[in-house]
Amino acid sequence: TTQQQQPTMASNTVSLTMKPQNGSIEPSRTALLIIDMQKDFMEVGGFGESLGNDVTKLQRAVEPCRRLLDAARQRGEMLIIHTREGHRSDLTDVHSHKN
């Protein structure tokens, strides 16, 4: 079992245990960017799998991303950005692989 470590905070800096090396950030000068955490990219039967990707491996990223997002929200000073794929209601902008 691995033990989850909480970030340590000193003044405006948050020290993080990371790989390949530890580091620190200033939350007020840092953005958390979460990209393509959508069913179509992450789940079996979606577009990501249709491209030949083994999307089952992506599931292990969900919980660490959720913990990081929760911590950023709790701290309240970090910019949080989510990207999402969206299409026109008539689907004229949908990639041909999705039709």
Side-chain angles (χ1 to χ4, degrees):
T1 6
T2 59
Q3 183 178 11
Q4 297 299 322
Q5 294 184 3
Q6 295 297 319
T8 57
M9 295 174 223
S11 64
N12 296 336
T13 302
V14 177
S15 298
L16 301 170
T17 303
M18 304 181 290
K19 291 182 181 179
Q21 65 188 37
N22 297 336
S24 60
I25 62 169
E26 291 180 49
S28 63
R29 299 175 48 119
T30 304
L32 173 59
L33 178 60
I34 299 177
I35 301 174
D36 292 341
M37 297 292 283
Q38 295 175 254
K39 291 179 178 184
D40 205 23
F41 297 106
M42 303 282 297
E43 292 185 358
V44 173
F47 179 62
E49 184 183 49
S50 75
L51 296 175
N53 298 322
D54 180 2
V55 296
T56 60
K57 294 179 180 181
L58 300 175
Q59 292 305 307
R60 67 179 172 225
V62 173
E63 188 54 36
C65 286
R66 181 175 292 128
R67 286 194 312 269
L68 183 58
L69 178 59
D70 289 346
R73 285 179 174 158
Q74 182 177 16
R75 185 140 175 112
E77 61 185 311
M78 185 180 290
L79 176 63
I80 299 170
I81 302 168
H82 297 269
T83 66
R84 70 169 185 89
E85 180 176 347
H87 297 286
R88 295 180 178 159
S89 60
D90 64 2
L91 300 180
T92 56
D93 62 338
V94 174
H95 192 281
S96 63
H97 289 303
K98 291 191 169 192
N99 291 332

